[in-house]
Amino acid sequence: MKAILKTAFIAVLLGAGRAVVAAPAADPVIGTWQLNVAKSKFSPGPAPKSETRTYAATDQGTAMTWKSVGADGKEIVVKSTFKADGKDYAVTGAPNFDSLSLKQVDDHTVQSTQKRGGKVIGTTTRTVSKDGKVLTLSSKGTSPTGAAYDNVMVYDKQ
């Protein structure tokens, strides 16, 4: 009887251990990121003077606040809460788009599609480095004026 109870106890412990191992990893984008203008490339440009992105985990998904000061000194604040489930989520404050959808590529990479009035205007690949210290956004699309853009924005974790 003791042998059966001991075996059952070990099986329960091993099963619990597997459940812990199977738990999803925390999203590495969570935190505050500062644009490194010197390492970034903006085509056609110009680069913003500064930009900070903050990502926070909420019950509704990932909440993003993005504050930018453009080359002209104009400040914008963009906000959205989203999940990487392929559905469209509203965006406020962005000059180029009013919604986005995201899909998880791997543990460190998310692909997003930006839309304006339901029409796709751009895509972005968001990658967090394996060490969690660098966020890279590679974006391609069309501005509201019809100009094509191809930007690589590099952010440092704060």
Side-chain angles (χ1 to χ4, degrees):
M1 183 67 161
K2 285 184 181 181
I4 293 172
L5 288 175
K6 185 177 179 181
T7 302
F9 180 72
I10 291 171
V12 168
L13 286 177
L14 289 175
R18 273 190 235 121
V20 171
V21 171
D27 189 345
V29 80
I30 301 301
T32 301
W33 303 87
Q34 183 68 43
L35 180 67
N36 186 325
V37 177
K39 291 183 179 178
S40 301
K41 296 177 185 168
F42 294 87
S43 177
K49 289 183 179 182
S50 67
E51 188 169 292
T52 302
R53 288 177 177 251
T54 303
Y55 297 87
T58 72
D59 290 340
Q60 294 77 35
T62 302
M64 175 192 69
T65 301
W66 146 29
K67 296 179 182 181
S68 181
V69 178
D72 60 0
K74 183 179 176 187
E75 184 175 287
I76 64 165
V77 178
V78 178
K79 292 186 178 193
S80 184
T81 300
F82 48 78
K83 295 179 182 178
D85 59 7
K87 296 179 183 177
D88 287 348
Y89 291 91
V91 176
T92 60
N96 294 351
F97 56 97
D98 55 24
S99 69
L100 56 76
S101 63
L102 298 94
K103 292 183 182 178
Q104 193 80 38
V105 175
D106 61 35
D107 289 346
H108 291 267
T109 308
V110 171
Q111 179 74 40
S112 70
T113 301
Q114 298 83 40
K115 297 178 183 177
R116 182 176 47 250
K119 181 181 174 191
V120 173
I121 60 93
T123 60
T124 299
T125 300
R126 183 187 82 198
T127 306
V128 177
S129 63
K130 296 294 181 190
D131 67 4
K133 295 179 180 180
V134 178
L135 168 65
T136 304
L137 300 177
S138 299
S139 298
K140 293 183 181 186
T142 306
S143 74
T145 62
Y149 61 86
D150 186 353
N151 300 329
V152 177
M153 297 159 284
V154 179
Y155 299 80
D156 298 315
K157 184 96 180 232
Q158 299 300 294

